Amino acid sequence: MLWDYPFRNFTGSLKNSSISITLKPDFIYFNLNFMKIKSFIAAFFLSLGLFSAKAEEGLWIPMLLQHYNIDIMQKEGLRLSAEDIYSINQASLKDAILIFGTGCTGEVISGDGLVLTNHHCGYSSIQSHSSVDNDYLTNGFWAMNRDEELPNPGLKVTFLIRIEDVSQNVLGKMDDNISEVERDSIIRERIAGLKKENEDGNGYKAVIKPFYYGNEYYMFIYQEYNDIRLVGAPPSSIGNYGEDWDNWIWPRHTGDFSLFRIYAGADNKPASYSPENTPYKSKTHLKISTAGVKEGDFTMIMGYPGTTTEYIISDEIKFMLETSLPKKVAIRDARLKILDKYMANNDTIRIQYASKYRSISNAWKKWEGVIIGLEKTNALARKAEAEENFREWAMSNPERQSEYGNTLQALRDKNRELVKYSLVYDYSNEAVMAAEIFDFALDCNSLVYSTSEMSKEDKRAAVDKFKKRMDAFFKDYNRKVDQEIFQTTLAYYYRDIAPEFHPDIYNVINKKYKGDINKFTAETFNKTIFLQKDKLLELLDQIPESKFNISLRFQKDPVLVIFNSFAAVYSKKVIPAYDNLKMDMQVLYRSYMRGLMEMQKDKVFYPDANFTMRVAYGKAEGYKPADGIEYLEYTSLSGAIEKHYMDSVVYSLPEKLIEIYNSKDFGRWVNEKGEVPVCFVASNHTSGGNSGSPILNADGYLIGLNFDRNWEGTMSDVYYDVSICRNISVDIRYVLFIIDKFAGAGYLINEMDLI
Ligand code: ASP
């Protein structure tokens, strides 16, 4: 259904639309298969009807394990205490886990600050060191000694020092009768106070976040390190084996890992890059088990899941399922096809856009899986059933009735109003901001504003710093690609969004350009100064001297004129209404959540993910994707080799790996059957951001590296179902095998603690 979305056939013209997008044969095949797989799986899951209770569901706050569920975890097999996992009195597992960059997890695996994370998390760093002549993405990179490790300006890792329940500090002594706006501003003030108190002069960062829709608040004290060097990465043909074809898919044979090292100043404290810095000594590091993992074994994950919304009402899921996701998928589909067309025939563009391609396609394919998973697990009906239970409970006595009697209905009413604004929101992110030129132009513009009050010297330094950003932009930018994306998404917006949210710029296109978006776009790209590097540089160099002309010049630039025309609509007609509705819903959800917890007093509720450290546990187990099919919980190197001989462009292992396979030189990295294990699945509840998270055994030893989820289970962000939700990890033995036998970097293994 999705692949027949009507906007597929646009030209750039508003009046007579038909953009023809050339499909790479692989993608036609892929899309057709997607459709087939969808209906096939649909039939199977519908035949199963309702699913059994959720067992392994949950993203637990590490500090609360003792209080919540450590005994359940121990019953399931865990041989650690809550204190071994999270402690502020002794080194504990949490001290080895870090935020890698701004959206992934990583872990320290040696006494010398060696960090393991995913290849896809290190991807942009690996790419930034790559060029056509020196292509680390294609060939891999291995520092053969510490001097060869490569610094990555801008990359940081963040350690959690401690968590504190600050609910009382934030919510205590608050008059029940104040307005939500007043309440909000009191909360903000208290948070700012807490932040100041806990940050001042100690080099730490305090982050305070709401949990359970603001019924509780927790503070996280962090320490950031920013001299992070690239140590090793396998070639993409291993690290991204199966490419987008296999993304979100099980069975899997991807060695999705890379290695970095944290460097610190002489006192082991954070320091900016310096050749004098030395490897960081963390409080603890993970020990590695080479004993492997078997079906049914207890597994545990620690990391930073980004966002989940497990308690939203069925109406929100319905909008997601029927409108928002299909439309977002269609826009990304079009963008990917444009990239695909250009990347297929040009190596420079292939390298320039490799990382961008991955980030677009990651969500694109996931959203497809979410739709499938929600449909198959009957999530809508099950949510509605739970809501009916809540309604009955709320109506069953006068006290509850006055507290919660209207909550659900009010949420539904607000949601009905919200959806039209939500769609514009979706399109502003997915369509309008899809063109790279917008982001760059906005950065240039904010350089002018942010430097306006600075001294001449500071202005000069800011401009010089910005030139690096500019070089990075142009290094990975292709005008033709961006122009085609821009004209395509502009047309999508016009077609899909109600006229009341069309900015003035469309009148200009219709009148002056007779509706020809392609012509309008071409002219915009010809005229804009943001693509004329020399002229732009000349202008930026004037910043230390004058500012007015430059900002005026920027504001008249066609790219910013277009942006401002969208911004005018959003600021008047969308953002205020959207924010108000969201705020109202937030209040209602706070009450709904409180009600749910009151209704099921014996149940331990976990808070939605909000990119704070969480623990999830489950077991290594396969699943049944369809009638008559049962997936095993692990894959091995022979399966990767089989795929290699399937004659598909996405499966092409390096020759050296094939040779090692043929010579059976596996060393000690084998299971009891003599195979090299590659990946395994387990029923740990994870989300985006858990990439790079360690998967640990019952003793807390590292057995693998989480990197993905199965396609049928990607809906776990809104609805977890243990029968089909699985996280996918690289077996640590495959990581070690590649480092040792393939890369010949066994010296790295010497610094690890293997059990
Ligand atoms: N691939 C995801 C990530 O990058 C992990 C997931 O969503 O399961 O964080």
Side-chain angles (χ1 to χ4, degrees), residues 44-104:
F44 170 65
F45 279 104
L46 284 178
S47 74
L48 282 185
L50 294 180
F51 283 97
S52 54
K54 307 169 177 192
E56 283 89 345
E57 175 173 2
L59 298 158
W60 307 98
I61 304 175
M63 183 185 91
L64 298 179
L65 289 178
Q66 182 64 46
H67 172 60
Y68 280 160
N69 39 16
I70 193 73
D71 46 340
I72 303 174
M73 293 168 76
Q74 285 162 345
K75 235 179 262 156
E76 297 285 324
L78 177 70
R79 287 187 287 269
L80 299 177
S81 67
E83 190 78 355
D84 294 329
I85 298 171
Y86 173 92
S87 171
I88 49 170
N89 304 314
Q90 63 183 51
S92 58
L93 288 178
K94 78 120 174 49
D95 298 314
I97 319 296
L98 49 88
I99 301 175
F100 185 84
T102 50
C104 275

Side-chain angles (χ1 to χ4, degrees), residues 103-105 118 120-121 247-248 252 256 304-306 362 366 686-693 706-710 714 716-717 726-728:
C104 275
T105 305
N118 288 146
H120 78 266
C121 295
N247 190 17
W248 304 111
R252 192 70 159 273
D256 193 348
Y304 284 84
N362 190 42
K366 180 192 170 190
T686 55
S687 185
N690 265 127
S691 274
S693 295
N706 180 70
F707 68 100
D708 208 3
R709 274 171 287 168
N710 62 331
T714 45
S716 63
D717 289 346
R726 294 290 177 274
N727 70 298
I728 306 177

